[in-house]
Amino acid sequence: MQQFTVLELLSQEINHTEVEVKGWVRTFRANRFIALNDGSTLKNIQCVVDFENFDEALLKRITTGAAIHITGELVESQGKGQTVEVQVKTLNILGDSDPETYPIQPKKHSFEFLREHAHLRTRTNTFSAVMRLRSALSFAIHKYFNEHGFYYMHAPIITGSDAEGAGEMFKVTSLDHNNLPKTEEGKTDYSKDFFGKETNLTVSGQLEAETYAMSLGKVYTFGPTFRAENSNTSRHLAEFWMIEPEVAFMDLAGNMDLAEDFLKYVLKYVLDNNAEDLEFLDKRLQDEDKRKPQAERNDMTLIEKLKFVTDNNFKRVSYTEAIDILRNSKPNKKKKFQYIIDEWGADLQSEHERFLVEKHFKCPVILFDYPANIKAFYMRLNDDGKTVRAMDILFPGIGEIVGGAQREERLEVLKEKMAAIDIPEEELWWYLDLRKFGTAVHSGFGLGFERLVMFATGMGNIRDVIPYPRTPQNAEF
Ligand code: 4AD
Ligand code: MG
């Protein structure tokens, strides 16, 4: 007898063969109909029990959440909603589930409740759909880069450089906190620590990726990154995954083209390959919308939104143009923004980014050429001496999804910029070496993976698109 997943069973020809399937009971109706799910698809397979043939004690153990093993005949379904079903011959309980205490009852649960039961939440339709999409998106990302001649590079997770993450890094140490070795000045003596120096969890693999771009040409990283910023928002995690391509001989315009092509490709991939899960999440959003006041409803469905991104060009706008638009905007004039924009040089807050994307342009926007002093030291200084070749991509409902730049490739300029913000040259000697030995124009960007998953699934909180979210005061599981 052949064992099948539910997905395989549902696409079988009805040939009355004996099949075998294992999964978890979603519901058991009328002592007769088991809806069985094994995670391979959103759909359940209906397994029909002829209750006269089974022991009552056994039937009682077919409860929501129980793991069971069924053999039976695959037949045409009499009921609506499925073409095939299994006529049960044998039924084994692999693992009981106490219906009194099993948290995932067949009813609507709030996302807050499910976050507290994150170890079981993928047994719901919404979370299994989100996590299958997360998996598909990550595959599509590797596929894109593989098809475009990029090498996958593993940047270190423990880093000895803290130049990029000043102030928001998690320390990595094996010292005993209750008995720290001290230097003569009374500071912690990190020379006694595991690595003989201060080390942190990385905030970005970019600087290391640059070293590989400057030898292998086209590379990307895709790994976890960590930020100890205390932002308790629906878009920030302390541990999140980032995709960082880095390409030699590519300027900012090429960087924008790459980012746009890449984002369209991965979204198109899930539109083409994950229709069932997307349709489910689309419907979920539409139901949620119906309960909202008219003004807060989405003007596009989830699938329309994804197609809109794959089918239209992103709007490319300089920071200076964006500031003009914002300065003259209604919410700015009526002081509806929390941060009023009155001068060139102001940093953009998410309220401004969202105004540009959602109200003004109504499409993804690439903002570029930001003021140097609100962006990182490694960004290429423009000839005007005050802006840098930075780019941020803003998505509707999300805000910033990508941050990137053409890198400063001129040794002297880079040294000056580092000196201006007190980054010692010794700390980034290897990074400076790239500018000493065969420097060249190069660019890259970072895509926040969870923000992409939020966009693709329509989920409103970043905690609901990563298996086990790490946020301030929360590292359960
Ligand atoms: O804009 P960021 O900070 O850029 C960098 O780290 C660059 N080194 C990237 C590069 O050029 N290679 O972060 C990149 C993206 C953001 O646009 C956002 O999508 C995401 O990472 N991100 C976060 N996602 C979740 N939680 C956080 N705390 C995030 N911080 C940034
Ligand atoms: Mg950024």
Side-chain angles (χ1 to χ4, degrees), residues 24 37 118 129-130 154 180 272 285 306 317 403 409 444 457 473:
W24 294 272
N37 191 284
V130 167
H154 299 110
L180 290 172
D272 291 345
L285 266 189
L306 299 183
V317 186
E409 84 285 13
T457 57
Q473 299 298 310

Side-chain angles (χ1 to χ4, degrees), residues 210 377-379 407-420 428 431-432 435:
E210 279 186 53
F377 72 94
Y378 51 69
M379 297 188 180
R407 317 306 185 189
E408 184 53 75
E409 84 285 13
R410 297 163 298 182
L411 181 63
E412 290 314 315
V413 183
L414 185 59
K415 278 186 180 171
E416 273 168 39
K417 293 185 80 179
M418 284 168 54
L428 285 181
Y431 191 68
L432 291 168
R435 280 76 184 165

Side-chain angles (χ1 to χ4, degrees), residues 164 168 203-207 209 221 225-227 229 231 235-246 255 375-376 378-379 391-393 398-405 407 443-452 462:
E164 229 201 316
E168 50 182 55
V203 294
S204 155
Q206 178 199 322
L207 305 191
T221 72
T225 51
F226 307 86
R227 297 193 186 177
E229 53 190 338
S231 10
R235 291 179 186 77
H236 288 88
L237 290 166
E239 175 181 293
F240 65 99
W241 288 64
M242 187 152 50
I243 297 98
E244 296 186 275
E246 193 70 33
N255 206 20
K375 287 291 182 188
Y378 51 69
M379 297 188 180
M391 66 171 207
D392 275 6
I393 302 185
I398 305 288
E400 180 191 334
I401 196 163
V402 162
R407 317 306 185 189
S443 306
F445 61 84
L447 165 68
F449 185 53
E450 283 72 24
R451 293 194 187 174
L452 176 72
I462 200 163

